[in-house]
Amino acid sequence: MELIQQTPDLSAYLAADDVIDHGHPLVRETAAALRSRHRDVHAYAQAAFEFVRDSIPHSSDTGDERVTWRASDVLAQRTGICHAKAHALVALLRAQSIPTALCYQKFEVLHGLVAIRMPGQEAWHRQDPRGGEPGKEAQFSLAQERLAFLPDPEFNELDFPVLYAVPHPGVLSALQSARDSVELLRILPTDL
C-alpha cells in the first residue's frame, strides 16, 4: 500500500501541539533517557517504539477506565488505548527530529498507529505501538510491516493510506469527550 502524506510539508510531521506535546518536560525527559542509551537514530526509534508498546499498557487489556489523549498524560499515567499510545510514540520520535505521522485502520472502530520516516529516507514505515496478543505482538520494522492486526476486506476492514500530521478530528473529539473507557469505545469513530 502506498502511504500518502496529508500535507506535503515534512515539517508538519515534526510539529508539536496540545496533543503531540513533545516540548513537555516529561516527554523531553523520557526521550533524553532513551536517547542516552541509544545514540543511533534507528536504535532510538526502535527503543521508543518498544518503550511505548511494552511500558504503557493498553487500557482495554488492563480494564483501566481512564482515558488519556495528550502524549505527556499517556506517559505520566502509563495507560491509553491505541490512539493515545500512538500520540505518545509520535511525541517521543518528533522530540528527536524523526518525522512521524498518525495513520489508521478500520475494524469495528478505528485503530490508531504511526508511520515513521527515518531521516535521510523517502519511505514511510508503519509501526503499531498497540502491542497485540502474546506471540502476535507488533514489532518494530523498517522492512516488512509487523503490525498487531491485519485488516480483512471480507469484513469491510481496511488500511487507510493517509498519513496525518495531527490526530484525526473525530478520534480526538472522542478521546477528549469520553468520561471513561466504556463510553470511549461507544463513541470512537468507525470510519474516517
Side-chain angles (χ1 to χ4, degrees), residues 12-136:
Y13 298 95
L14 293 168
D17 60 22
D18 287 343
V19 180
I20 311 299
D21 58 343
H22 63 73
H24 187 279
L26 180 56
V27 177
R28 304 294 298 169
E29 176 184 305
T30 305
L34 290 167
R35 185 66 176 191
S36 72
R37 294 188 303 274
H38 306 282
R39 295 279 179 204
D40 171 79
V41 69
H42 179 276
Y44 172 82
Q46 182 170 348
F49 168 83
E50 291 172 353
F51 174 80
V52 171
R53 182 194 66 193
D54 300 341
S55 299
I56 301 171
H58 191 284
S59 56
S60 292
D61 294 345
T62 61
D64 193 327
E65 292 187 4
R66 295 175 292 170
V67 176
T68 54
W69 54 270
R70 183 178 288 119
S72 58
D73 292 339
V74 175
L75 295 175
Q77 296 182 38
R78 299 280 198 201
T79 191
I81 66 165
C82 57
H83 302 287
K85 290 179 65 143
H87 298 167
L89 180 56
V90 169
L92 289 172
L93 294 170
R94 288 183 184 180
Q96 293 296 310
S97 300
I98 300 171
T100 311
L102 294 155
C103 44
Y104 302 93
Q105 294 175 311
K106 178 184 176 181
F107 296 102
E108 289 180 23
V109 295
L110 290 181
H111 174 58
L113 46 152
V114 307
I116 300 171
R117 183 171 165 174
M118 297 301 285
Q121 295 185 4
E122 296 293 319
W124 288 92
H125 306 279
R126 292 190 311 163
Q127 312 295 326
D128 190 349
R130 158 65 170 95
E133 300 171 12
K136 295 183 181 177

Side-chain angles (χ1 to χ4, degrees), residues 137-152:
E137 295 98 4
Q139 300 294 321
F140 183 84
S141 177
L142 298 178
Q144 181 178 352
E145 287 187 338
R146 309 237 354 243
L147 306 177
F149 309 107
L150 298 176
D152 185 342

